[in-house]
Amino acid sequence: MRIPGIIMIAVLAPLAATSQPTTAAPGAAQVPAYITKAMNDPARAADKKDDARRKMAAVLAFAGIKPGDTVLELAPAAGYWTRVFSQIVGPQGHVYADWPKEWVAQFSAKLFAEWQKLAKTPHYANVTAISEPVATLQVPAKVDVVFTDDNYHDYHDPFSGHVDMHKFNQQVYDALKPGGVFVIVDHIAPAGTGIRDTYSLHRIDPAAVKKEVESAGFVLDGSSHALTNRRDPLDISIFDKSIRGNTSQFIYKFRKPAK
């Protein structure tokens, strides 16, 4: 079972209709061989059917995760991204998969328990499943990448306990090595709506995300239009049958300055 808002990746909307990211990443970034190899891992065979829809190769190429990296994945749900991160970073890297404790109690206990078991298997020996209070982010080691897919908006919602997002983003900043990146994928809400729709529609205004994250010291390093869906009206729930699985989403990459 997945918690609200961590269900699917879809796509961005036209600039005129949304607060779409202002800095576009290259649209045809080359996909490194290590990404292709990781995506073809037999252990994630059940995920393959979603790769085209979720633009996995494009998202991974944009995020820049590479062999040897240490990755912190926030709210990994069923582990769609966790499985491929594990194979990309390899034995010299590591993946910390962090389930917020409050979400585990309400939505994700079975998924967390499953990953605790998987992390003990040889195939996922480089994955550590952790759970801590949603507003307290502590990682055993500094990381190269923090990644969150379709759940940044959930940190604003009542079931998260009204998280202080400035403090939270500062904790993300502190968890990163100098020069590290914070990659956020989420469902777009119309421009000017801020955080109004995070609970009702499970969407968030990209401009609100940018303002919150940059306030913690991050610099916007790029955005990708890989997940654009011009047919998404943006003002309906992500669970609406007309759009479910194909929402319009933004992808932001924020960087912690090297110095």
Side-chain angles (χ1 to χ4, degrees), residues 74-93:
L74 302 178
Y80 175 81
W81 295 101
T82 317
R83 281 182 279 278
V84 78
F85 291 162
S86 172
Q87 299 311 299
I88 290 175
V89 303
Q92 301 305 312

Side-chain angles (χ1 to χ4, degrees), residues 34-77:
Y34 54 78
I35 289 179
T36 302
K37 181 179 179 181
M39 289 177 63
N40 289 329
D41 175 24
R44 62 175 305 275
D47 294 333
K48 293 286 290 181
K49 67 182 185 304
D50 294 322
D51 289 352
R53 175 178 63 83
R54 299 182 70 164
K55 302 294 190 295
M56 173 172 261
V59 173
L60 290 170
F62 175 71
I65 297 169
K66 61 188 183 300
D69 276 354
T70 301
V71 178
L72 170 61
E73 182 183 6
L74 302 178

Side-chain angles (χ1 to χ4, degrees), residues 120-174:
K120 296 177 181 179
T121 65
H123 197 70
Y124 294 111
N126 64 352
V127 176
T128 299
I130 58 178
S131 181
E132 55 192 353
V134 66
T136 304
L137 185 63
Q138 297 179 334
V139 187
K142 297 285 187 179
V143 304
D144 299 286
V145 180
V146 177
F147 182 94
T148 186
D149 170 42
D150 288 352
N151 50 55
Y152 182 90
H153 71 272
D154 286 312
Y155 287 89
H156 296 77
D157 292 339
F159 56 80
S160 295
H162 305 288
V163 176
D164 180 334
M165 292 306 295
H166 179 69
K167 181 179 178 181
F168 178 81
N169 284 312
Q170 285 183 321
Q171 292 175 339
V172 174
Y173 187 95
D174 291 341

Side-chain angles (χ1 to χ4, degrees), residues 4-247:
I6 316 185
I7 314 286
M8 72 295 288
I9 285 193
V11 265
L12 281 172
L15 180 61
T18 76
S19 43
Q20 185 166 300
T22 55
T23 307
Q30 184 174 358
V31 178
Y34 54 78
I35 289 179
T36 302
K37 181 179 179 181
M39 289 177 63
N40 289 329
D41 175 24
R44 62 175 305 275
D47 294 333
K48 293 286 290 181
K49 67 182 185 304
D50 294 322
D51 289 352
R53 175 178 63 83
R54 299 182 70 164
K55 302 294 190 295
M56 173 172 261
V59 173
L60 290 170
F62 175 71
I65 297 169
K66 61 188 183 300
D69 276 354
T70 301
V71 178
L72 170 61
E73 182 183 6
L74 302 178
Y80 175 81
W81 295 101
T82 317
R83 281 182 279 278
V84 78
F85 291 162
S86 172
Q87 299 311 299
I88 290 175
V89 303
Q92 301 305 312
H94 203 83
V95 179
Y96 295 103
D98 185 1
W99 279 261
K101 186 169 291 184
E102 293 86 345
W103 300 5
V104 168
Q106 298 176 71
F107 313 110
S108 306
K110 290 183 179 180
L111 295 174
F112 179 60
E114 179 182 351
W115 268 101
Q116 285 180 303
K117 293 178 182 178
L118 285 173
K120 296 177 181 179
T121 65
H123 197 70
Y124 294 111
N126 64 352
V127 176
T128 299
I130 58 178
S131 181
E132 55 192 353
V134 66
T136 304
L137 185 63
Q138 297 179 334
V139 187
K142 297 285 187 179
V143 304
D144 299 286
V145 180
V146 177
F147 182 94
T148 186
D149 170 42
D150 288 352
N151 50 55
Y152 182 90
H153 71 272
D154 286 312
Y155 287 89
H156 296 77
D157 292 339
F159 56 80
S160 295
H162 305 288
V163 176
D164 180 334
M165 292 306 295
H166 179 69
K167 181 179 178 181
F168 178 81
N169 284 312
Q170 285 183 321
Q171 292 175 339
V172 174
Y173 187 95
D174 291 341
L176 283 162
K177 300 174 184 177
V181 297
F182 184 17
V183 180
I184 300 174
V185 182
D186 217 329
H187 310 280
I188 294 178
T193 58
I195 62 172
R196 184 193 68 188
D197 299 328
T198 61
Y199 189 59
S200 59
L201 304 181
H202 300 280
R203 296 175 180 269
I204 192 166
D205 181 351
V209 175
K210 182 174 181 290
K211 182 178 180 180
E212 287 182 351
V213 178
E214 288 184 334
S215 75
F218 284 98
V219 176
L220 182 64
D221 192 53
S223 64
S224 171
H225 302 288
L227 299 174
T228 300
N229 180 5
R230 299 178 184 276
R231 293 171 294 181
D232 182 358
L234 309 183
D235 59 358
I236 59 176
S237 169
I238 66 166
F239 302 112
D240 189 286
K241 291 182 180 179
S242 68
I243 201 65
R244 185 167 183 173
N246 291 288
T247 58

